[in-house]
Amino acid sequence: MNRKLISMLLAFTLVTALLAPCGTQAIAEGETYTYHGTYSSVSTWSPTDWEISSEYDMLGYTVTPFYGFWMNETRDGYDIVPELAAEFPVDVTAAYAGNEVYGVPADATEGYAWQVKMRENATWEDGTPITARDVEYTLQQFLSPDMKNYRASLFYQGGTALANAESYYNSDKAGEPALYLATSLGDKAMTDFTAGADGQYADADGNPVFFAWGVPLEYLGGYTLRDYWSAMDLDTFYAVDGLMDADGMVPMTEDTVEGVYSLTGGDYFGNEPREALINYVYCYGTMEPTSWEQVGFVQDDEYTFTLVLKNPSTLFDFEMNVDNLLLVKEDLYEANKTEAGGIIKSAYGTGVDRFSSYGPYKLTGYQESKQIVFARNESWFGYADERYEGMYQTTGVELSQIDEHTTQLTMFLQGNLDAVGLAADDMEKYGTSDYVYYTPTSNTYYLALNTDFDILKSRETEGVNKTILTYIDFRKAMSLSFDRTDYVMSCTACSDPAFGLLNDVYVCDPVSGLAYRDSEYAQRTLCEVYGVDSVDDLTGYNRDEATRLLQSAYDQCLTDGNISDTDIVEIEYHVYSTDSANQKMVDYIEDAMLAAAEGTSLEGRIRFRLVEDQDYYTTMQNGQDDMINGAWGGAEMDPYSMMICWTDPSYIMEYGFDPYQSLTISVQGTDVTMSYYDWYNELYNGAYAIAELDVRNEILAGMEKGLLLNYHMIPIFSSCGAALASHRIVYGSEDYINSIVGRGGIQFMTYTMDDAQWAAYCAAQNNQLSY
C-alpha cells in the first residue's frame, strides 16, 4: 500500500472537510463579501483526474462531502455531521458475510460493508436531483477500464478500495495472454514449470516464467521480495537483483530459484517450504473478465447505496475516506468524452460550461493562468437548512494566479488580497504582527545519517575520516551538541523544535482529539531518550555529555584502527540548493560540534561540507553521501501508519540502518521481540491494528524510542507556515485547532466589512495598509 498516496488522500479529505458547508449567514440586500486569494496552475479539477493540490482546492468550494467534519461549539475540536448523507453510515457486514462474489469472509461481523442513505433534497447547480445513480455512475467513471483515470486508485487501493474494483479496472486486458500472479490463475504449482534450453523455466506451452522480485505482492502485505534485501547474503542479493527488468521481474532459472529460496526458506520468512515459491511467481495466463456487477457497489434504492470494501474499515475511517467520493454529473461528463490512442477521456472539469457544482459555491469564471471565480450556488440545499444558520458569510471567491511572492505581498498590502503567506525574509517585519497566523504542519525535519562502514570507508580520502559516523557515541554527541530551540530561532523562519519523529499535530484518538505527543507513552519516550524528568525541560542539549561522547567515539575509532591522530572528520551534507538558508543551517551544526569537541582529541578536526544535489534523497538511499536533511509528514490522524517511513526498506533514507534488527518492547508488562519492520506491520496491518489505544500508543512510543536511540535519524525541527490575514477577516478560531478543521475554514469565516466598505477603507489608506 502506497503510504505517500494515503498521505495525499488524507490531505485531500481534510481540504474538502475544511470547505464543507456548515451554515449560512443572513446577508443584507446589496451586501457582498468576496474572498480574494491566490492559486497556482491548474489544468483540470475533474474529481476523476485532478493531480495537484491547487486542483483539488478548487473542488473544495463546489462539492458537499457525505460526512462533514465541523468545528464544534466550543471551537476546540470537531463534530462529524451527515451532509450529502442523510444519516450516519450503517455497518451491514453481516448481510454480506460469506458472499462469494465480493469475497467477504464468512466469519466477518463488521467493517466490510457500509450502507449510506443520501439526503433527498440535494441537487446539482441546475436543480437536477442527486441520487444513488449519480454515485454509481461516478464510481463507474473512476474505475473505467477504457478511461484509466488518474484517480482510479482511490477505489481499488487504500481505505475506500471496493471489492473486485482492481480486476474490473484491469478488465480491458481480459481474454489477452499476459503475465499474472500464478496463484491467481488457479491450482498452479512449481512442478508445472521446467527449465528450457536457455535455462529459463517455462510453462507447458513454452511461455517463460518469472519471479516477482520488485513487484508489490498482497501475499507480502504490499511489499516486494526485493524489500527484504538485508535478510539475504549480499552477493546473492546482487546476483538476483541484477537480473530484474523494468517491470520488476526476474527470470526463473536454477540460480534464481536458489537465490529466492535462500530468502524465503530462511528464518526471516519462517522457513517456508520450496513449494511455497509459487506465491512469488508470475506466468502467462488469460484473465477472466470482471463485470461491473461484481464490483462492491449496491444500489439499495433511489437514495441508498452500500459500499462493499476489499478490506474492513472502522466507522471513523469510513466516514473520512468516503468523502473521496466526489461526484461527476453524468450528462456533462458524457458530453465531453473523446477517444484518442485507444483511451477515452472526458474534458469535464476544464471550463465553466464543463463542470457542475453540488456545493455551496459554483464556478462562474475561469481564465487559464489568470483567474478563477466562484459565486454562491443558490441551488445548494444548505442555504435553506436551519442547521447551517449563521455560517457562510462569504458570497463569492476570486482567486488569482500570481506566482511571484513579492507581487502577492504588494497586492495584499494594497487590499487586493485577503491573505498572503510569508517567506523567511518577511518574518523580521511581520513575525509579531497582530494579523499573523501560524499553522503547524506534520513535517518533521531531521538529520538522516549514513552509517554503513564499508560504504563510508570506500569514500574516505587521504587524511579524511568518515567511518566515525558508524560509532553510536559520535552520532549521539551530534544530537546533544545543540539546543533545538536556539537552532530554530537562528536558522528557520517559523518552526518549532522537534525531539521526536512525530510532532504535535498527530492525533492518536480521533474521537477525543488526543495528540500522540500528549499521550503518556510518547512523553515518557522523550524523557528517557533525552534524560529529563518532564517534557517541559526538553532542549535536546547537553554539551558536557556531547564532549564525553566525542572523546569516547574517537578513542574507540582509534583503537579499531579506523582513524589516525591527524585525520579530519569530514561530513558531506547534501542539500537541494547551497543557498544562504542551508549554509546557515550547516554552519550552526558545525559550530555546535566544534564547540562540543573543545578539549577533546577531535578539537578543530570536524568539518561539514555543503554539497548541492537536486536528487539528494536518492543519493542517500544509495549510500553516496554522509548526511541529508530528511523530512516526513502526512496522515496526521493516523500516526501509526507513519512508522513505515523509518522501518520499510523502500522508504528508509538512512543508509546502513537495518529495519530487520530486533527490537524488544514491553507491551502491557510483557516483553515482545520482533524486527522494526515486523513491528510496523503488526501495528498497522496485523495483530495490533485494532488493539486498544493504550496498547497501540505503547508500541508506537517503543518503536520511536528504539529508532531515536539508534541515532541514525536526529530530529531537529517541525515546520510551521505563517500567513497574514487582512484587517477585515475574522477566522472561526484564533487558534489552530487540528488538521481536521484548522481554524474553521471558509464556512466559519466572517468579515468586519463588506466589499464596498472595504474598498472605501483601503482608499482612505491610499491603498497602503499597515500590518
Side-chain angles (χ1 to χ4, degrees), residues 33 108 110 287 539 568 614 617 647 660 730 741 750:
Y33 298 88
E110 60 183 357
M287 177 184 284
T539 65
I568 296 294
Q614 296 186 359
Y617 273 32
T647 62
Y660 301 112
V730 180
V741 294
T750 58

Side-chain angles (χ1 to χ4, degrees), residues 237-256:
F237 168 79
Y238 287 126
V240 176
D241 197 59
L243 299 174
M244 185 177 70
D245 65 20
D247 296 320
M249 300 292 182
V250 165
M252 183 193 291
T253 65
E254 289 186 13
D255 288 341
T256 58

